[in-house]
Amino acid sequence: MVKEFSISSENRYQLIDITDKVEEMVRESGVKDGLVFIFAPHSTAAIVLTENESGLKQDWLAVLKKMVSGFDFLHNKIDDNADSHILSGLLGQGRTLMVENGRLIRGTWQQIFLVEVDGPRERRIIVKIINEQ
Ligand code: ZN
């Protein structure tokens, strides 16, 4: 079962919590035990699990910006977003979670985030739900 949804970012770098949307899809799927693969089909965005706390979200953005600062990127001569491609690749464009008894298995402080690193844009999120039965 493959589902998808879209989300619009407002800033160049931004963390957007998509946990509720993914959990809703798992509920609607009726899958009790299986796997969920959450994928951003973009080379300038990523999916991560982290805590939804406003200070931490700003910390993430500070670290991401610092990781790609001070470079003379060649890609920027044709498309001004080398930083975005590199962060997207490093963070990863997908994550897999387990479903048990109809619920996503995740820690209390593990929310699912789309990490926008080349916004503002409209982003697609593809969710593949695999039934173990
Ligand atoms: Zn590019």
Side-chain angles (χ1 to χ4, degrees), residues 43-44 75 79-82 85 118:
S43 76
T44 57
H75 181 67
D79 187 15
D80 195 22
N81 64 356
H85 292 293
D118 195 21

Side-chain angles (χ1 to χ4, degrees), residues 14-131:
Q14 186 179 357
L15 269 75
I16 302 173
D17 191 332
I18 57 169
T19 312
D20 289 350
K21 189 71 191 165
V22 175
E23 290 196 327
E24 179 190 319
M25 286 179 158
V26 171
R27 266 196 310 278
E28 286 173 2
S29 75
V31 170
K32 296 296 173 212
D33 293 283
L35 293 173
V36 180
F37 182 56
I38 304 135
F39 182 66
H42 302 287
S43 76
T44 57
I47 304 288
V48 302
L49 302 176
T50 193
E51 182 181 353
N52 190 350
E53 190 276 315
S54 59
L56 182 62
K57 286 193 283 184
Q58 291 178 52
D59 293 337
W60 263 98
L61 301 185
V63 169
L64 295 178
K65 283 173 190 163
K66 196 160 188 175
M67 281 173 69
V68 289
S69 68
F71 294 94
D72 187 13
F73 289 123
L74 298 175
H75 181 67
N76 288 354
K77 290 175 183 158
I78 57 156
D79 187 15
D80 195 22
N81 64 356
D83 58 325
S84 316
H85 292 293
I86 289 167
L87 290 173
S88 168
L90 287 174
L91 296 173
Q93 293 144 2
R95 288 288 190 276
T96 307
L97 280 82
M98 292 171 277
V99 178
E100 238 178 68
N101 299 318
R103 298 194 60 185
L104 274 184
I105 297 184
R106 57 183 183 85
T108 310
W109 312 117
Q110 282 181 310
Q111 271 80 36
I112 308 161
F113 280 87
L114 170 76
V115 184
E116 174 62 78
V117 284
D118 195 21
R121 281 173 193 266
E122 170 132 338
R123 297 300 194 174
R124 291 167 62 208
I125 312 286
I126 301 175
V127 179
K128 172 91 178 172
I129 304 173
I130 301 165
N131 193 346

